[in-house]
């Protein structure tokens, strides 16, 4: 027997930055607005409406995804990490440190998305070349930095995290 | 930015999804990765009354060998197709195509089944899957049927699927020894979608001549087109650079691309020949190195 | 190692930014992050007609939807308009209503607005509003708008001309009569979208009992916007508080007062509820001021030996359909630097500023400078080619010489300082220019399309009025600086702290830079036009000097010495030669606020300066590019890009380089791929990121940065601006390289952006293969 279709209030359970949340959402609530408005995690940003800019990037079940293109209901039972969840016990993630060391941000608006993409890249590829870093940033737009120092920031983090042979 | 209201239900089996489709009729859409549907809904270009989530159905993900076929679950995300050792070793052109869809984040959510069913004329999978002579398994309340890629993409955003079917699997024949596959793409500088692309499957005899060739082009019509003149120009011939170039020059013969803000129809027709040549060269090189 | 804990020698050090710790953990506060109790959401219904009469609007269905609090149309807010800001004598200023009344003049104009409990519901309601239009003829191209019989973009006027302005000097007719060669060129600077990644937005909180309005706004100029808002609303300016929280980029586009802000404030007051409006990206595309869109026709008169005699330029500038406060500016700026780095005393530059049925234009990173540099630098390359002269020799021959500064140009503008020969030499050295030429020639001999291009340019910064600073020693001895600058990515909290800490011999952690709040900060102007270090830095340097003067006298009083015997020391002051006789800032502050100042001296220790040097700072630079064009696909690849910039004294090299990087990325976007296009039907053809192509990380070539340092003699810090260097100098260098690459094919001119399809078509035509496209 097929399940009932729900129009107004769907219960979901999502673990965000290690904390379990239970909520009721409209089907049309986008994951990014669930994070920003229901959970008050405003570090993830909206920069466009065509799924291009990547300012909304988070990790969902370990993968970098655009939270503006996912319905909150699709994240039921998922584990999510946002920018607010990266630092542990006050210690910055090396990618966050890298952005500080290498001037990887100016206005800071694209930065959370950039950092999340950088974190995901280094989890999959601890020794990325410059070309691989730039390729990984295809889904993240910046208008302030020209990307030069964003790439340097991620490279710095890769070296700090023990990657060797981080070549140009 | 905010979709119109709709109803949502998470299906837990293909049968359940089919029942829901039947019950809801035209107003329901299937939700896979959502990376074509949700953007359209945010701009209110699409406003389905109900979304039936396939993402909650187990068993529709993964890449496996099934006899002489590579079988890919419809809900497999692009990143997993691109990273699959099976795909990279046996059908590198397919991995190439998967790896140039959108960006990292899109590849982590978009599904091969969703891409195929959506049939965007500027998408990558329809092109490579046509080149690879793939077929698609469609399940309905009355059973299962399989449709070949050549017969599947019928028009802009239109396929041979009915509104009461769920695409469950993509099946790609494993090419014989001496084959090579490749996919090359000219992406739109803004959207990353296909301006022109070429997918190739070529099988080469030990003598160096072409046993068979399938060349599919994207960005030139309402869906992938087979470059028949190019295929004829390769078949039976020795796969030298001159032969390849001459064959590629015919790539856009049957094409009637539309002009847009980036490229003229003429440019697309010309670049199709360039990319066809590059894809054939890459496929032939793989065929040579894999001649076992 | 110099860090924020050092106390002198901070100028010229790449101190890490103090802004970053909050931003990298996602704790920044941008407008959309602000939630207030009882807050309502504002959504607009926008027309898709470029020019039409509004026949009827039916809001009944919208008004009756659950969760909708108000629906308004232009007729409900007749009194709300964007204030007119005449910048040029004789400027035509057609009506600019906040919500369209009677007619719409560009696709994207709002005809109705909905206030509801959520954005989604407001959007639902907006979609339920029925509007009937009667289409009117429209025009989107500025040159076409000047043709006889062209449709009137603004039917209230009798022509499409907003203003005609002229700058001239010398005797241009005589110069042209004496010319041995005249080089002619028409070049277009393509329309650009600023595309700050944070869309525009506002939150308005009406204070209870009419005490005032508190506004959080994504803006570059809180004080200016407050003033214009007061005028638009008819509300007392001093009761409006505008706060710029963290602002996600601006590039000039977040300078003016926009319609949405006026309506949000009006509705907040009327409904007595806080209201939020944030643009969607699609909305932002068609409602935020766009840049460039100037078409320039020039004539350069020269002698055969390359001496430049005179310059005539006619600029047709597309202002769009409505005037915002800064819309009229960029063409003016273009005129002011038309002769560039060169001694051309006989000039006649005319701007015809034109209305069309498109999005209004205004300042966008460069704001008239890029258009001007593009024009003169392409013109000179063209003249060199026509005369058979070396492009660089032609430039050097006509450069303003170092001994000629301050130099009054042929359009009556004074440049303060410069050394253009040195800048060009440094760019040539850094790029190994002769080697680039050899590479180009070798490639050419193989039939490849490779070109080298150079641009040498000036860039004015600062100006646009005064800037203000208060330097306050707190009761505890800590230092607070209130600046009228309004950082939105520029790192002022760091670089200004360097300036003050260096001056006052404290470490940076004792200095707090505050900005972006009209209640806390004295009347200021804001951050745009690369003015902040010049104007904001200049004003705070002067204020700090005054504080130091007063503090010295207090210190002397405390150690019972003569003020002339007291010098600055680390953390305060000391008697000259007697370092143990020391007074700290903390002790001086305690005395200043604790009644222990010298007799006759007023208590307290803070100074406010309004700084207006009445001149701009003239930075300059030289950029070199090597471009390769793939014959098969037309794709241009920048293989070398060297950028030498002179912004006077450099406070934080890391921040300066970051500004150059960002400007270059936008400049390359302009040169290679960005163009805002409107169809004949007035619709935006490139109205989303799906088809407006900004640069991505993988698109950027390697950037090689260099510098020369020519201190600004008219600035307390010796600084000049640099934020727009990348957009000013990089596109012309690339343009010259592309045209150089295509020169063997006899191609004379192509307008930017240099997309692969465009270049391929040009190559086909040049090689005699017919194409259907241009």
């Amino acid at each position: 027997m097929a399940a009932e279709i729900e129009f107004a209030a769907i219960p979901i359970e999502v673990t965000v930055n290690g904390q379990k949340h239970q909520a009721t959402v409209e089907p049309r609530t986008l994951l990014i607005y669930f994070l920003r408005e229901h959970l008050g995690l405003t570090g993830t940003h909206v920069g466009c409406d065509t799924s291009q800019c990547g300012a909304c990037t988070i990790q969902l079940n370990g993968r970098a995804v655009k939270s503006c293109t996912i319905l909150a209901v699709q994240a039921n039972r998922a584990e999510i990490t946002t920018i607010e969840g990266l630092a542990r016990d006050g210690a910055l993630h090396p990618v966050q440190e890298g952005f500080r060391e290498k001037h990887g941000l100016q206005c800071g608006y694209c930065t959370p998305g950039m950092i999340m993409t950088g974190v995901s890249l280094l989890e999959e590829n601890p020794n990325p070349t410059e070309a691989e870093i730039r390729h990984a940033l295809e889904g993240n737009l910046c208008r302030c930095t020209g990307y030069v120092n964003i790439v340097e920031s991620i490279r710095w983090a890769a070296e700090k995290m023990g990657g060797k042979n981080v070549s140009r | 930015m905010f979709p119109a209201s709709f109803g949502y239900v998470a299906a837990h089996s293909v049968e359940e999804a089919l029942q829901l489709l039947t019950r809801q009729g035209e107003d329901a859409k299937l939700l896979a990765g959502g990376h074509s549907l949700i953007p359209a809904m945010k701009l209110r270009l699409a406003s389905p009354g109900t979304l039936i989530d396939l993402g909650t159905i187990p068993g529709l993900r993964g890449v496996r060998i099934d006899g002489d076929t590579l079988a890919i679950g419809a809900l497999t995300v692009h990143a997993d197709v691109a990273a699959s050792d099976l795909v990279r070793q046996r059908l590198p052109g397919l991995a190439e195509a998967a790896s140039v869809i959108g960006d990292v984040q899109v590849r982590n959510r978009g599904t091969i089944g969703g891409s195929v069913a959506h049939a965007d004329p500027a998408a990558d999978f329809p092109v490579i899957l046509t080149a690879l002579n793939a077929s698609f398994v469609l399940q309905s309340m009355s059973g299962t049927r399989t449709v070949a890629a050549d017969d599947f993409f019928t028009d802009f955003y239109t396929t041979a699927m009915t509104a009461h079917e769920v695409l469950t699997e993509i099946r790609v024949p494993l090419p014989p020894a001496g084959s090579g596959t490749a996919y090359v793409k000219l992406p739109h500088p803004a959207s990353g979608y296909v301006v022109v692309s070429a997918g190739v499957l070529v099988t080469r005899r030990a003598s160096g001549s072409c046993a068979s060739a399938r060349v599919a082009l994207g960005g030139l019509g309402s869906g992938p087109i087979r470059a028949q003149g190019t295929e004829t120009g390769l078949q039976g011939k020795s796969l030298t650079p001159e032969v390849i170039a001459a064959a590629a020059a015919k790539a856009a013969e049957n094409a009637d691309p539309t002009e847009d803000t980036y490229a003229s129809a003429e440019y697309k027709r010309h670049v199709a020949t360039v990319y066809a040549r590059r894809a054939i060269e890459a496929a032939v090189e793989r065929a040579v190195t894999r001649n076992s | 190692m110099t860090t924020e804990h050092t106390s002198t020698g901070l100028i010229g050090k790449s101190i890490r930014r103090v802004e970053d710790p909050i931003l990298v953990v996602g704790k920044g506060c941008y407008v959309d992050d602000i939630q207030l109790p009882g807050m309502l959401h504002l959504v607009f219904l926008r027309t898709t007609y470029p020019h039409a009469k509004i026949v009827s609007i039916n809001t009944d269905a919208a008004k009756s939807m659950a969760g909708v609090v108000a629906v308004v149309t232009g007729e409900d807010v007749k009194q709300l308009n964007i204030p007119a800001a005449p910048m040029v004598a004789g400027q035509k200023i057609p009506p600019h209503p906040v919500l369209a009344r009677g007619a719409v003049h560009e696709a994207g104009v709002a005809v109705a607005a909905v206030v509801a409990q959520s954005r989604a519901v407001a959007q639902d309601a907006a979609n339920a509003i029925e509007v009937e239009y009667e289409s009117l003829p429209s025009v989107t191209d500025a040159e076409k708008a000047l043709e006889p019989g062209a449709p009137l973009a603004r039917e209230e006027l009798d022509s499409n001309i907003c203003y005609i302005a002229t700058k001239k000097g010398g005797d241009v007719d005589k110069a042209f009569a004496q010319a041995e060669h005249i080089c002619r060129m028409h070049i277009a600077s393509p329309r650009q979208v600023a595309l700050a990644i944070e869309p525009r937005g506002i939150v308005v909180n009406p204070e209870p009992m009419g005490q005032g309005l508190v506004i959080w706004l994504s803006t570059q100029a809180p004080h200016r916007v407050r003033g214009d808002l007061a005028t638009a609303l008819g509300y007392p300016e001093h009761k409006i508080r505008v706060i710029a929280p963290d602002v996600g980029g601006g590039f000039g586009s977040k300078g003016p007062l926009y319609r949405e802000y006026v309506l949000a404030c009006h509705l907040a007051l009327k409904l007595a509820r806080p209201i939020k409006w944030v643009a969607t990206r699609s909305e932002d595309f068609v409602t935020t001021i766009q840049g460039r869109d100037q078409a320039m026709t020039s004539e350069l008169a020269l002698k055969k030996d390359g001496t430049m005699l005179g310059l005539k330029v006619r600029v047709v500038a597309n202002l769009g359909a409505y005037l915002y406060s800064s819309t009229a500016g960029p063409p003016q700026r273009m005129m002011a630097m038309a002769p560039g780095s060169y001694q051309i005393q006989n000039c006649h530059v005319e701007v015809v500023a034109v209305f069309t049925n498109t999005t209004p234009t205004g300042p966008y990173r460069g704001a008239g400078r890029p258009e001007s540099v593009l024009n003169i630098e392409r013109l000179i390359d063209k003249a060199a080619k026509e005369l058979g002269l070396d492009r660089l020799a032609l430039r050097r021959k006509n450069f303003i010489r170092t001994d000629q500064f301050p130099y009054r140009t042929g359009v009556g503008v004074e440049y303060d300082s410069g050394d253009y020969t040195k800048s060009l030499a440094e760019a040539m050295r850094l790029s190994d220019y002769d080697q680039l030429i050899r590479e180009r020639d070798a490639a050419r001999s193989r039939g490849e399309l490779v070109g080298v291009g150079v641009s040498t340019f000036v860039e004015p910064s600062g100006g646009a009025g005064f800037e203000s600073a208060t330097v306050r020693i707190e009761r505890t001895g800590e230092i607070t600086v209130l600046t009228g600058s309004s950082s939105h990515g520029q790192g002022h909290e760091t670089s200004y702290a360097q300036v003050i800490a260096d001056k006052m011999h404290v470490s940076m952690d004792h200095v707090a830079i505050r900005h972006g709040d009209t209640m806390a900060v004295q009347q200021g102007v804001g951050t745009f036009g690369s003015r902040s270090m010049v104007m904001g830095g200049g004003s705070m340097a002067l204020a700090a000097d005054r504080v130091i003067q007063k503090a010295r006298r207090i210190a002397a009083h405390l150690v019972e010495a003569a003020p002339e015997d007291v010098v600055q020391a680390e953390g305060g002051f000391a008697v000259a030669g007697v370092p143990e006789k020391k007074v700290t800032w903390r002790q001086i502050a305690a005395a200043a606020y604790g009644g222990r100042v010298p007799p006759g001296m007023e208590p307290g220790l803070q100074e406010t300066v309004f700084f207006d040097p009445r001149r701009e700072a003239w930075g300059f630079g030289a950029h070199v590019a090597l471009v390769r064009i793939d014959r098969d696909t037309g794709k241009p690849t920048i293989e070398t890009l060297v950028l030498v910039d002179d912004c006077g004294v450099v406070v934080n090299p890391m921040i300066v380089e970051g500004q150059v990087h960002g400007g270059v990325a936008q400049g390359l976007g302009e040169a290679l791929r960005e163009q805002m296009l409107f169809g004949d039907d007035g619709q935006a053809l490139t109205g989303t990121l799906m088809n407006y192509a900004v640069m991505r990380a993988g698109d950027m070539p390697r950037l090689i940065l260099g510098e020369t340092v020519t201190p600004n003699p008219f600035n307390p810090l010796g600084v000049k601006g640099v934020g727009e260097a990348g957009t000013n100098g990089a596109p012309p260098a690339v343009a010259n390289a592309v045209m150089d690459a295509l020169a063997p094919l006899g191609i004379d001119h192509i307008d930017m952006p240099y997309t692969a399809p465009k270049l391929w078509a040009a190559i086909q035509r040049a090689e005699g293969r017919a194409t259907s496209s241009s």
Side-chain angles (χ1 to χ4, degrees), chain C residues 374-394:
Chain C
L374 177 70
N375 186 57
I376 191 70
E377 290 302 295
R378 276 293 308 130
L379 194 54
I380 288 175
D381 259 35
K382 194 163 190 278
K385 190 159 158 235
E386 289 169 8
L387 287 173
L389 296 172
D390 176 77
R391 302 173 293 173
L392 299 189
L394 180 55

Side-chain angles (χ1 to χ4, degrees), chain B residues 89-108:
Chain B
Q89 283 157 19
R90 309 299 296 267
L91 291 158
L94 181 60
E96 266 171 339
S99 73
V100 296
I101 299 172
D103 50 56
V104 167
Q105 296 95 317
V106 167
R107 294 193 284 276
N108 279 333

Side-chain angles (χ1 to χ4, degrees), chain B:
Chain B
M1 191 63 197
F2 302 91
S5 281
F6 55 88
Y8 169 89
V9 59
H12 295 95
S13 68
V14 176
E15 292 67 34
E16 186 182 359
L18 289 167
Q19 281 166 19
L20 287 160
L21 267 181
T22 307
R23 208 172 78 192
Q24 294 306 115
E26 292 286 297
D27 206 24
K29 287 218 70 113
L30 297 169
L31 176 65
H35 273 47
S36 298
L37 183 56
I38 293 174
M41 291 174 70
K42 282 161 68 175
L43 297 175
R44 303 208 179 194
L45 299 172
S47 296
T50 304
L51 285 193
I52 302 163
D53 196 349
L54 300 175
T56 34
I57 301 175
L60 289 181
R61 292 178 177 84
V63 180
R64 63 193 176 91
I65 303 274
D66 183 13
D68 56 0
T69 303
L70 190 83
I72 307 174
L75 268 288
T76 309
V77 298
H78 308 325
D80 290 349
V81 175
S84 157
D85 284 331
L86 285 176
V87 178
R88 288 158 69 106
Q89 283 157 19
R90 309 299 296 267
L91 291 158
L94 181 60
E96 266 171 339
S99 73
V100 296
I101 299 172
D103 50 56
V104 167
Q105 296 95 317
V106 167
R107 294 193 284 276
N108 279 333
R109 287 293 293 184
T111 66
I112 184 166
S115 169
V116 165
H118 186 62
D120 189 318
D124 299 283
F125 270 134
V127 180
I128 189 62
L129 291 170
T130 299
L132 299 178
N133 200 15
S135 51
F136 308 119
V137 178
L138 308 174
Q139 192 173 332
S140 68
M141 301 270 267
S142 41
T144 301
R145 65 183 180 122
T146 305
V147 179
D150 280 332
D151 304 320
F152 188 81
F153 302 103
T154 53
D155 207 342
F156 295 98
Y157 304 98
T158 315
T159 69
M161 282 176 78
T162 70
H164 302 286
E165 284 177 311
V166 172
L167 166 62
T168 57
E169 195 175 63
I170 290 88
R171 299 179 66 82
V172 188
L174 290 167
S179 298
T181 61
Y183 182 78
V184 293
K185 167 188 186 180
L186 173 63
H188 189 287
S191 69
Y193 277 90
V194 170
V195 174
V196 161
S197 71
V200 171
L201 163 63
V202 75
T203 305
R204 185 178 168 277
R205 298 192 186 92
S207 62
S209 73
C210 174
S212 68
R214 288 179 64 96
V215 178
L217 302 171
L220 299 180
S222 64
I225 64 175
R226 294 270 302 280
Q228 274 144 2
T230 301
E231 292 175 357
T232 311
L234 294 171
Q235 245 128 19
K237 302 204 173 57
S238 183
L239 289 162
T240 64
E242 296 73 31
V243 164
I244 293 171
K250 301 193 182 137
E253 265 174 354
N254 306 324
D256 186 24
T258 41
E259 176 161 307
D260 56 43
T261 55
Y262 178 62
S264 66
E266 192 177 356
Y267 182 75
K268 292 183 187 184
R269 273 196 297 271
H270 164 75
V271 168
T273 67
V274 175
Y275 277 74
R277 193 190 79 236
R278 291 181 186 176
I280 297 165
E281 283 167 354
V284 167
E285 194 181 313
R286 287 193 174 127
V288 169
T289 54
R290 282 148 195 275
N291 205 9
S292 53

Side-chain angles (χ1 to χ4, degrees), chain B residues 1-5 43-44 188-193 259 261-264 266-267 270-271 274-275 277-278, chain C residues 119-120 123-124 127 280 282 630 632-633 673 677 685 689-693 696 756-757 760 770-773:
Chain B
M1 191 63 197
F2 302 91
S5 281
L43 297 175
R44 303 208 179 194
H188 189 287
S191 69
Y193 277 90
E259 176 161 307
T261 55
Y262 178 62
S264 66
E266 192 177 356
Y267 182 75
H270 164 75
V271 168
V274 175
Y275 277 74
R277 193 190 79 236
R278 291 181 186 176
Chain C
R119 272 182 286 205
Q123 186 67 62
D124 293 341
N127 285 14
T280 65
S282 302
D630 181 323
D632 271 346
T633 60
R673 53 177 55 200
L677 291 168
L685 294 174
L689 287 171
M690 290 289 282
N691 36 43
Y692 185 84
R696 290 184 160 87
W760 178 81
T771 74
S772 54
S773 52

